[in-house]
Amino acid sequence: QVQLVESGGGLVQPGGSLRLSCAASGSILSVNTMGWYRQAPGKQRELVATITSVGSTNYADSVKGRFTISRDNAKNSVYLQMNSLKPEDTAVYYCNAGVVNLRGFAYDYWGQGTQVTVSS
């Protein structure tokens, strides 16, 4: 069993910053690509950023230059530093990870989501 636990969401004013964290725990052999996705009310879930196990990153055009994804492989954790936040960044943010379990099988896992609200 593998769990992803997120933290760091909240309410912030436009132009402000937040840092999201996500830690994977459980029967883990290795963690491959990790990422953040978000879903705003009435919209589909969309990719925000991903990072591979060797640190290669990918960002949605809408967050390039404002958000930074990073990871700590020793802690099986991924982070999302969000700067210059805009009201349109308001959404539930979900952590995602590709995990190889102790039996050698790879599965895709999701966190429970954390709310980010950007409003004055």
Side-chain angles (χ1 to χ4, degrees):
Q1 190 76 352
V2 173
Q3 300 84 35
L4 299 184
V5 178
E6 301 142 341
S7 60
L11 173 64
V12 64
Q13 293 186 342
S17 298
L18 280 176
R19 186 174 187 252
L20 306 182
S21 300
C22 172
S25 63
S27 303
I28 297 172
L29 180 62
S30 64
V31 182
N32 297 324
T33 297
M34 304 184 81
W36 291 94
Y37 293 72
R38 66 186 181 187
Q39 187 167 17
K43 294 187 177 181
Q44 289 189 334
R45 190 173 298 188
E46 64 176 4
L47 180 146
V48 176
T50 60
I51 184 167
T52 69
S53 59
V54 294
S56 295
T57 58
N58 179 52
Y59 294 93
D61 287 343
S62 59
V63 306
K64 283 181 181 177
R66 300 188 298 122
F67 291 10
T68 301
I69 190 170
S70 61
R71 65 188 285 170
D72 184 334
N73 290 335
K75 297 181 179 179
N76 290 328
S77 295
V78 64
Y79 310 97
L80 186 68
Q81 178 66 44
M82 304 185 293
N83 299 328
S84 302
L85 282 160
K86 305 175 181 179
E88 50 264 43
D89 294 317
T90 296
V92 178
Y93 284 70
Y94 296 91
C95 174
N96 173 266
V99 176
V100 179
N101 64 21
L102 295 180
R103 292 188 175 185
F105 295 107
Y107 294 98
D108 207 38
Y109 291 92
W110 292 89
Q112 80 283 359
T114 185
Q115 177 70 46
V116 172
T117 302
V118 185
S119 176
S120 54

